[in-house]
Structures are given as structure tokens and as C-alpha cells.
Amino acid sequence: MVNLPYNLQQMPKIFRSQQIKNIDGYTIANEPVIPHALMERASRELFVRIASMTDRSNDIMVFAGTGNNGGDGLAVTRMMRDAGYRARAFVINISPNRSPEWETNLQMLRQKDENAVTMIDNAEALPIIPSEAVVIDAIFGSGLTRSPVGLAADAIRRINDSGAMTIAIDTPSGLPGEDSSSSDRSAIIRASVTLAIEFPRLSFMFSENHPFIGKWVVVPIGLHPVAIATTDTPFQIPDKNYVSGLLRRRSKFEHKGDYGHALLVAGSYGRMGAAILAARAALRSGAGLLTCHVPAIGYGIIQTAVPEAMAEVDKSDNFISDIINPAGFDAVGAGPGTGTETAVQKSLHALLTGYKGPMVLDADALNIIAMNPGWEKLLTGNTILTPHPKEFSRLAGETSGGYERLMRQVSFSGEQGCIVVLKGAHTSVSTPDGRVFFNNTGNPGMATAGSGDVLTGIILGLLAQGYSPEDAAVTGVFLHGLAGDEAAATGCMESVIASDIVANIHAAYSKVREDLL
């Protein structure tokens, strides 16, 4: 029995396609298991998931390629027929090269019923697909290196045009496992659900691929844990167990001073709401003390809206112009609602040059850095940036899609020595050493004004308590998304507002800790 470190055992990973192939090979050699038995095991798990989403009254049309993905499709067809489903396989005959496992599954299906499988040799032979049918896509796997052409592309377009519910095995046919920027988007399956075998693919993390992937579900098939643990990848998805391991437990005799004093630099005339949301989130995430540096116009607002916070009043009425020495604070957050006036820029420059403690920068602080080339060199390993994609493009330049943006994010973190929290449906946290944590909490209801200010506050509160910048970023993003999920669960996504996310931070903490106390 190999004893693996906790984080290697537990945190889900994202591998590149070749790495997954290598893990398959390791499993076959070291479990050991023969390739056909491994395919049968995978197909059985896929069948269980597909059966849970379909009914025996449905016509199940399985489109299978001639590789291992097609072998899975043939095996699933057989299992569905054995279970009483009206399932038929249509083999898109695009290559004479077939694996022994594919051949075995074809023979097994034909032995059950010769009419259960139809070979498709040209576009004219493609079947009509009723819109009420269920299509299983098993034409190509994630190792595809170029866009489908000819018969395969014709089959994909026929499936997409049908309007039928489509379930993709492993990955939608035509979608690469990583970079899809050069793919022919008309030749990619538009799946309703994607059943990813053992691991999600990197391409699932990018917004432009969502129309093809639909909802994705990981289907474990028991690949070898040693291979998974020892195969290196910079891409990981923190789960509840991992984040729970990062959370600090409070001691009976600790007091507010033990949980840090945070400084929040936020707000301007007409934008004090951002300061309020960030301040409330910082306190709800556990900061012991919070001081808000606000323009004079915001003094009464912040004292009334967040009575638990202290106020430090700027000499300017309407915007930030002079931040009092921040050296005595355990962490600093800056940017929400500050505006980008010249005086604000000068005060941010003084903060960047004068404060070397943990810091989170968002919104206008990021825009100011982008407006002043060279200021990014002032960032340190203690700094967390939380841009949305447009803010990131201002900082690091335009990119052509999700994969290129991710590579630019990794490079930016490495070159500037800071942590970047690139916000999105799967917010990515990149570290200076090249690792990336993709978040899997949250929902579309969080696409609302002020949600980012709440995230800034949560991360600030964690930094003040002594969490490392990496742990504060990963934990903060996870809790933020989970709080949004709790908010949506008590109402609906459309009604979620940023204050609801703040109000559910406590529920997010409880959810992470449940059954683990």
C-alpha cells in the first residue's frame, strides 16, 4: 500500500490528453487489468449514468467512431439493449485502423443482434435523427489533434441539426482536450451533457466551449491512484475536503486581535456601495478588525452601513487621495469603487511602493495599474489581483480565447511574482510557480453588480487572519462561489444580489466544515 500525501490523494486534477493515455497504460500494466476489461468497466459506469438520464421509451442512437471512444459506444449500446432500451449503434467508418477492444465490442454487439449496428460509409447513409431521440456521441475522444472532416464532420453536423438531446462520451467529438482556438466550430458536437471519463478536460474550463460541452459530469472508472498521484500537472480543482483542510480552527481563548486588522481602501462619490459590500464580506469572512479608508463623503455611509468597521477619512471629499501609513495593518485591500482620478493613482502608487504585506487589488486598482505601464513591476508575491477577463486584457494584453488567456495568466503570475484570480464560471487562481486552481463552486446568479467586491472582501478577511496569499485566494474563491450557491438555493439565480452572497458566507463555511468537525 503506497501512502500518498493528502493533497495528492484528494485534490482532483486536470491532465492533458497524452497524460490520461499514460495513466490508462499504467493502470493496465499495474492493476493489472486487460484493456478490454478496463473498457468494459468504463462502459458500465457510462451506461449507469446514461440510464439515469434516459427512459426505455426513448430511441437511443449511438454514433461510434472506430477508435477506443467508439469501442465505449459499442459496449454502451450492448448494455442498454441488455437492459431493455431501444438502442442502436451507427459506426462512422472513418478509418480502417481499429483496436482489438473495438473489434471485440463490435463482435459482442453483433452476436446479440446483427441489426443492432449499422456501418456508415458515406454521408448519404447517415440516418435521420428524430428530435425526440437521444443521441450518444462516441465518435472521437479528447486526444483529437485536428478538426473532423469528411464523413465525421457530416455526422457531427447531422447530429447538431437534429435538435435531439445529445450525451457525449468523454468529450464532445471535435473538441480537443486543451486548445480549441483553431478548431472548426461547425464540426464539434453540441452536447447537452458530457460524461468525462475520470477527469474533466482543460478545454471544459473555457467559456467559449460551453455551447459544446453543456453540463459536464466526471465518471470515475478506477484508474490507478498511484498513476494519478504521481503524474504531475499544474492544473487542479480544489474540492470541499481540500478547502476544509486549509480552514483554521479557532481556539477558545483567542480574541479579535488574533484574527488580524485589515485595511480596506474603497469608495468614491456615487460608488460607496462597493466599499460597503467589500467591508461586510471582510468581516463575515473572519477578520478581527477592519478599518475602511474612504473619502469624506463616505464617512457617514460606512459608519451607518457597517457599524462593526472603523472609518479612516480621506482629506478629499469625493475620492481617495492620501492613504494614511498602512504599515500597521495585517492586510490591505484596495480598488472597489475608487475611480481612477489622478489623486487616486498617486495614492495607489504610494501603497504599492510603501506596503509589502499581504494585499488584494481589484477593480479600479487594476485599471490604474493597466493605465501606468511599469507599475506591474511593483507587485510582490504577497499581492493578489482579482480581474475579470476585460480587466485582465488591459493588464496583460488581448488574447484569442480561453486557452491563450490561461497561458497568458500563468506567464503574468510568473513574471510579476503575484497571484492572479481570473474571475469567471471556473475562476482560475494562478501562482508564481505556474500552478493553476480552477474553482467549481458558484452559479450564473452571481453575475450581478457587486459580486466581485464581495470576493475582494472575503480574500482580504482571510489575508488579515494570516492565511498565505495562495490559500486566501483559493479558499476565498471557493467560499465566495459556495455562498452564491447557498443564496441561489434559498431563492433563485435571477434574484441573487451581492448582499445575498455576503449573507451566506456563514453558510458556506458551515457547508465546508460539515461532517469534518
Side-chain angles (χ1 to χ4, degrees):
M1 176 70 179
V2 177
N3 292 317
L4 301 173
Y6 170 80
N7 63 332
L8 289 182
Q9 286 181 315
Q10 297 295 332
M11 191 166 8
K13 294 180 175 183
I14 300 176
F15 295 105
R16 293 183 180 272
S17 299
Q18 183 58 50
Q19 291 179 303
I20 296 173
K21 186 176 180 180
N22 294 342
I23 293 170
D24 283 345
Y26 185 99
T27 302
I28 290 167
N30 292 276
E31 185 174 326
V33 59
I34 62 172
H36 172 70
L38 183 60
M39 183 176 286
E40 191 77 358
R41 189 162 79 196
S43 299
R44 176 63 57 182
E45 295 300 324
L46 291 165
F47 159 71
V48 170
R49 297 301 180 107
I50 293 169
S52 72
M53 294 182 281
T54 56
D55 188 86
R56 286 176 176 80
S57 64
N58 295 127
D59 285 319
I60 312 294
M61 303 178 72
V62 181
F63 287 81
T66 53
N68 281 341
N69 194 252
D72 289 330
L74 295 173
V76 166
T77 304
R78 167 172 45 84
M79 293 172 188
M80 298 202 78
R81 290 179 69 87
D82 287 345
Y85 287 83
R86 298 202 307 265
R88 290 187 63 196
F90 300 88
V91 174
I92 308 304
N93 197 12
I94 49 180
S95 172
N97 300 320
R98 289 88 181 270
S99 68
E101 296 74 49
W102 187 95
E103 293 283 6
T104 298
N105 274 302
L106 179 65
Q107 293 171 14
M108 292 175 71
L109 181 56
R110 280 179 166 166
Q111 286 171 3
K112 292 284 184 181
D113 185 347
E114 185 69 30
N115 296 321
V117 59
T118 301
M119 302 298 290
I120 305 296
D121 296 314
N122 53 66
E124 290 71 28
L126 288 168
I128 301 299
I129 305 172
S131 60
E132 63 272 16
V134 174
V135 170
I136 309 300
D137 162 38
I139 303 173
F140 294 113
S142 59
L144 196 68
T145 57
R146 58 186 177 85
S147 292
V149 295
L151 177 59
D154 290 336
I156 288 169
R157 294 185 183 109
R158 173 69 60 88
I159 293 167
N160 288 342
D161 290 344
S162 72
M165 175 185 175
T166 302
I167 302 171
I169 289 179
D170 202 29
T171 189
S173 291
L175 182 68
E178 292 80 45
D179 183 6
S180 65
S181 59
S182 61
S183 298
D184 178 356
R185 300 179 78 76
S186 73
I188 304 175
I189 284 289
R190 292 180 174 268
S192 309
V193 178
T194 297
L195 300 178
I197 298 175
E198 198 73 54
F199 316 103
R201 306 303 185 254
L202 190 59
S203 56
F204 293 7
M205 302 297 110
F206 309 134
S207 61
E208 66 266 26
N209 294 331
H210 177 67
F212 309 112
I213 299 160
K215 178 182 178 181
W216 57 266
V217 179
V218 172
V219 179
I221 64 167
L223 293 182
H224 204 293
V226 171
I228 295 171
T230 58
T231 300
D232 188 41
T233 176
F235 309 118
Q236 301 172 88
I237 303 180
D239 59 8
K240 186 176 80 168
N241 288 342
Y242 179 78
V243 174
S244 176
L246 299 180
L247 291 184
R248 300 185 174 194
R249 271 54 173 177
R250 296 199 166 197
S251 173
K252 180 177 180 179
F253 290 100
E254 289 175 329
H255 54 82
K256 64 186 177 184
D258 293 313
Y259 302 119
H261 191 170
L263 172 66
L264 175 65
V265 181
S268 60
Y269 181 81
R271 286 179 285 193
M272 284 303 300
I276 292 168
L277 290 166
R280 288 176 173 170
L283 290 165
R284 285 288 185 188
S285 64
L289 294 161
L290 175 67
T291 293
C292 299
H293 184 96
V294 297
I297 193 71
Y299 171 70
I301 297 171
I302 200 76
Q303 289 279 263
T304 302
V306 194
E308 299 89 350
M310 295 174 280
E312 182 179 275
V313 181
D314 196 273
K315 64 183 181 183
S316 170
D317 287 340
N318 295 325
F319 49 80
I320 304 297
S321 65
D322 181 30
I323 303 170
I324 298 173
N325 183 12
F329 294 94
D330 297 296
V332 174
T338 61
T340 59
E341 287 82 3
T342 300
V344 183
Q345 294 184 44
K346 290 180 178 178
S347 65
L348 180 63
H349 187 269
L351 181 64
L352 293 175
T353 55
Y355 184 76
K356 300 306 177 184
M359 182 160 45
V360 54
L361 302 177
D362 184 33
D364 286 324
L366 304 176
N367 293 328
I368 289 171
I369 293 172
M371 293 163 62
N372 293 274
W375 284 24
E376 70 277 4
K377 303 298 182 184
L378 301 174
L379 304 175
T380 71
N382 284 328
T383 306
I384 301 169
L385 309 184
T386 60
H388 57 57
K390 286 190 176 179
E391 289 168 341
F392 183 71
S393 69
R394 295 182 197 123
L395 284 168
E398 295 289 341
T399 51
S400 62
Y403 183 82
E404 184 182 355
R405 185 165 55 243
L406 176 65
M407 294 300 101
R408 185 75 55 84
Q409 177 188 353
V410 172
S411 296
F412 188 92
S413 283
E415 291 166 2
Q416 311 310 331
C418 64
I419 290 173
V420 176
V421 175
L422 183 54
K423 294 180 285 195
H426 292 290
T427 294
S428 52
V429 178
S430 57
T431 63
D433 61 3
R435 287 171 298 129
V436 180
F437 300 86
F438 287 100
N439 189 56
N440 203 28
T441 60
N443 63 82
M446 299 175 71
T448 185
S451 180
D453 302 317
V454 175
L455 175 61
T456 299
I458 293 173
I459 293 174
L460 174 60
L462 294 168
L463 288 173
Q465 293 172 74
Y467 285 78
S468 70
E470 178 184 310
D471 289 350
V474 171
T475 303
V477 169
F478 190 92
L479 291 173
H480 178 253
L482 194 53
D485 289 338
E486 291 294 304
T490 57
C492 66
M493 291 185 191
E494 290 82 358
S495 70
V496 172
I497 60 174
S499 294
D500 296 332
I501 303 173
V502 176
N504 280 281
I505 292 172
H506 76 284
Y509 268 109
S510 297
K511 197 87 171 179
V512 171
R513 284 197 168 114
E514 67 182 4
D515 302 327
L516 296 170
L517 289 174

